Amino acid sequence: MSNITVRAAAEGMPAINRRRLLNLTGAGLALAATAASVRNASATPPVAAAAEHPDAELFALEKEMEAAHARMETAAEANSTLSDKIEALLPPRPPKWEDPDMPDHLHEINLDRRLRDMGEIPEPIRAWFKERREQKAANEALHDAYHAKIAEIHREGGVDAAEEAFNACVSEVDEFTKRICSIPAHTFEGMVVKLRAHVRSGGEIEKEEMYLDDYAFASIAADIRRLATGGDA
């Protein structure tokens, strides 16, 4: 599905959630690859071993977060499917308003110093400004009607409800990330849980455009994955 289609259905979303939706519906392939590499690094120990592990609390929370993340992916797919249907119902966007140029003969009148000194605006120029205001108001009315129609289509088509459901899932996943990151990790396996939580909540480890602190974080993340897997990562 194209990004344009997703944006049409996600127009009312907070920007950060819209980005999350794009990442989950095909526009975040690089992030998905990163998430896969983090998930594959040091899987959570078996239940029996996890219960005695120093980071047992982190492993338990991660299991709950996995379920929440699956719900978020399902909600994202529902938004994607719905957006395909809604796209065909959307009316064409009205033309953008552009101020017209004043005709040359009126421009010459407007520059006449004698008329300026009189402090009066000639009738032809007043009429032109009046017509321009009316045209601009008509264009604004078209845009108001367009946005009202979009809102109506979204409301009746269930877009608003789908977005609310997705936003609720995003909040749930984010809350798990906060809880996981608030618990000290005692092992590298526990640290990897935090890396996975970071990625699942929309974070990036290896970005297309890296700054100095990004390189440091990516390097530390790679070290944690390597040490958590005994040097194989």
Side-chain angles (χ1 to χ4, degrees):
M1 182 186 63
S2 69
N3 293 358
I4 295 175
T5 303
V6 175
R7 280 197 295 270
E11 195 170 81
M13 278 190 185
I16 188 169
N17 287 359
R18 190 180 304 116
R19 179 172 62 84
R20 296 272 280 279
L21 179 58
L22 290 173
N23 284 338
L24 288 167
T25 53
L29 298 180
L31 177 59
T34 302
S37 68
V38 173
R39 281 196 296 270
N40 292 335
S42 181
T44 302
V47 176
E52 302 174 358
H53 197 283
D55 288 321
E57 186 177 4
L58 285 174
F59 298 145
L61 275 177
E62 183 176 38
K63 287 294 184 184
E64 295 182 49
M65 185 178 187
E66 286 176 355
H69 188 264
R71 289 191 291 273
M72 184 175 73
E73 288 182 319
T74 299
E77 183 60 33
N79 271 272
S80 174
T81 301
L82 183 59
S83 69
D84 288 339
K85 298 178 181 179
I86 293 299
E87 181 72 12
L89 303 177
L90 300 181
R93 183 183 293 272
K96 181 181 178 181
W97 168 256
E98 294 183 5
D99 276 322
D101 292 330
M102 180 179 286
D104 290 341
H105 70 285
L106 294 181
H107 188 62
E108 291 177 4
I109 295 175
N110 195 40
L111 294 177
D112 192 321
R113 186 179 299 276
R114 291 171 301 175
L115 295 174
R116 287 187 186 179
D117 293 341
M118 293 172 59
E120 294 183 2
I121 300 177
E123 176 57 31
I125 294 179
R126 283 204 304 269
W128 182 83
F129 277 116
K130 180 176 181 293
E131 182 180 3
R132 189 185 69 168
R133 286 194 301 271
E134 292 173 348
Q135 291 174 349
K136 184 176 182 180
N139 182 267
E140 290 175 350
L142 285 176
H143 280 272
D144 289 343
Y146 167 78
H147 289 295
K149 186 62 177 178
I150 292 290
E152 178 186 343
I153 292 173
H154 281 192
R155 184 173 57 255
E156 294 182 354
V159 172
D160 293 344
E163 288 181 359
E164 288 179 7
F166 176 73
N167 289 338
C169 290
V170 169
S171 297
E172 184 182 20
V173 169
D174 289 349
E175 190 59 34
F176 273 112
T177 299
K178 293 176 185 176
R179 291 172 63 188
I180 286 173
C181 291
S182 70
I183 299 172
H186 301 285
T187 65
F188 286 112
E189 290 85 358
M191 293 180 188
V192 172
V193 169
K194 294 187 176 185
L195 288 178
R196 284 194 288 262
H198 172 71
V199 172
R200 286 192 179 108
S201 60
E204 297 179 69
I205 293 177
E206 296 175 357
K207 306 177 182 179
E208 291 185 8
E209 185 175 356
M210 302 272 280
Y211 296 96
L212 189 59
D213 55 342
D214 296 322
Y215 282 111
F217 178 54
S219 175
I220 293 169
D223 288 341
I224 292 172
R225 292 196 299 267
R226 175 174 51 79
L227 293 171
T229 55
D232 296 331

